[in-house]
Structures are given as structure tokens and as C-alpha cells.
Amino acid sequence: MFRPKLPDTPHVPSITTHIPQDHAPTPSAGRSVAPFVGVGAGAVAAVVVVGVVLTALLAAVAVSAVSVAIAAVVLRSLVTGANRR
């Protein structure tokens, strides 16, 4: 139900129908995956760095908000105390 319906691709006939036995393709088991691992590690490192920076910014905003709230409470108590005297 939620799978997209892909258009049918026309069948393209292959040019070569016979492969000689002496030129049979060999499986590429020796293919290196190092470039793909390097890209993945770089992407993970970038996500971690961005996460650390955003977390530090959020902590700075939270500390600033708490300090402003404390200053407001202190100023309010000073102003109300001056009115009572």
C-alpha cells in the first residue's frame, strides 16, 4: 500500500549472448571498501562536531537565562525592600 509504483522499464536486448569459457568474468571479491569507510567516518565526525557545538550553544543559552532570572529576582527584592522602608 505504501510502496511507490515504479514505471515498467523496457527490456533492452543484450548485444553479447555468448561468453567464451576462457574469458569468463571472475567475482570481484578483492574490491576495497576503504574509500566508502573514509567517507562514512568523515560524515560521522562532522555530525559529532556539529552536535557538540549545538550542545555547547544550548548550554550557554541556558546558563545565561538562569543568570538573568536570578538577577531579576534579586533586583525585584531590592526594589520591593526599598519601597517598604
Side-chain angles (χ1 to χ4, degrees):
M1 181 168 110
F2 294 110
R3 292 187 181 187
K5 296 192 179 208
L6 300 175
D8 293 334
T9 57
H11 177 68
V12 179
S14 63
I15 297 172
T16 306
T17 57
H18 181 298
I19 299 175
Q21 291 297 328
D22 58 334
H23 295 289
T26 58
S28 60
R31 185 176 286 180
S32 174
V33 295
F36 302 113
V37 172
V39 170
V44 169
V47 168
V48 168
V49 168
V50 169
V52 168
V53 168
L54 290 179
T55 304
L57 288 174
L58 181 65
V61 169
V63 168
S64 299
V66 168
S67 65
V68 167
I70 290 173
V73 168
V74 169
L75 286 174
R76 183 178 176 190
S77 68
L78 288 175
V79 169
T80 57
N83 289 338
R84 289 183 185 173
R85 292 181 197 170

